[in-house]
């Protein structure tokens, strides 16, 4: 059960990353060009929120249910920070991704209250950018001690 969940979580990561990157550029472009807010922007935000939530859900399922690395880290809670691998999987990765999701949700909430289209675009663009930076910092890149392959299953 661990491998299928990890495969889905790993591949969905790329969809989240590229969708967030597209959103940053699109919303910042629209803010700079003073474009009007359209229904497609609401659709994008709804879709991205669902996608990001799906990714968080799979991550939490891995975290609380099936990940042997997290089970090892939580079993050895006193020594969790003695190992960079255990501290990454047991604390940093999951908490950072949840923080990124919260940053996005709070930023989106306040941006949607903006009185102008430009304010909405700017607020959503900034919250997506901040969220994307946290995500990029928390991904287990292959060159790191706790790293994983870019594309799982290939």
């Amino acid at each position: 059960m661990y491998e299928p969940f990890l495969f889905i979580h790993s591949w969905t990561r790329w969809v989240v990353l590229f969708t967030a990157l597209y959103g940053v550029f699109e919303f910042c472009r629209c803010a700079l060009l003073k474009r009007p807010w359209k229904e497609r922007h609401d659709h994008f935000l709804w879709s991205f929120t669902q996608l990001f939530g799906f990714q968080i859900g799979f991550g939490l399922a891995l975290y609380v249910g099936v990940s042997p690395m997290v089970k090892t880290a939580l079993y050895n809670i006193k020594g969790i920070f003695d190992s960079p691998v255990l501290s990454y999987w047991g604390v940093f990765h999951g908490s950072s991704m949840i923080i990124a999701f919260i940053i996005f949700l709070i930023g989106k909430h306040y941006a949607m209250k903006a009185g102008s289209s430009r304010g909405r675009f700017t607020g959503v663009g900034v919250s997506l950018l901040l969220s994307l930076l946290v995500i990029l910092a928390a991904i287990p890149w292959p060159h790191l001690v706790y790293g994983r392959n870019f594309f799982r299953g290939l």
Side-chain angles (χ1 to χ4, degrees):
M1 184 164 201
Y2 174 65
E3 285 300 322
F5 270 66
L6 195 58
F7 179 82
I8 292 168
H9 187 67
S10 176
W11 281 88
T12 308
R13 157 188 54 190
W14 295 107
V15 179
V16 170
L17 280 175
F18 287 119
T19 305
L21 191 59
Y22 168 79
V24 168
F25 286 115
E26 175 66 13
F27 288 114
C28 290
R29 183 183 69 83
C30 288
L32 291 172
L33 297 175
K34 299 179 182 173
R35 298 281 166 95
W37 187 269
K38 295 184 178 177
E39 191 174 340
R40 71 181 175 92
H41 299 112
D42 290 324
H43 290 301
F44 174 85
L45 284 178
W46 181 87
S47 299
F48 182 73
T49 304
Q50 299 307 308
L51 177 66
F52 201 175
F54 177 82
Q55 180 71 348
I56 294 290
F58 258 85
L60 287 173
L62 282 164
Y63 189 83
V64 298
V66 295
S67 173
M69 189 64 69
V70 173
K71 285 180 184 177
T72 302
L74 295 179
Y75 182 75
N76 185 20
I77 201 78
K78 287 184 180 180
I80 199 168
F81 291 106
D82 294 339
S83 164
V85 174
L86 289 181
S87 61
Y88 175 79
W89 292 113
V91 179
F92 181 74
H93 180 69
S95 59
S96 297
M97 294 302 181
I98 290 170
I99 289 168
F101 190 53
I102 291 169
I103 289 169
F104 168 69
L105 291 176
I106 291 172
K108 180 181 85 164
H109 172 77
Y110 283 107
M112 296 310 285
K113 289 184 172 187
S116 67
S117 290
R118 189 171 192 187
R120 280 184 173 186
F121 286 128
T122 303
V124 171
V126 167
S127 69
L128 270 171
L129 178 62
L130 292 174
S131 184
L132 183 61
L133 292 174
V134 173
I135 292 168
L136 290 171
I139 287 178
W141 300 108
H143 67 280
L144 300 171
V145 174
Y146 44 79
R148 297 267 172 94
N149 294 335
F150 280 121
F151 300 102
R152 194 152 200 86
L154 292 182

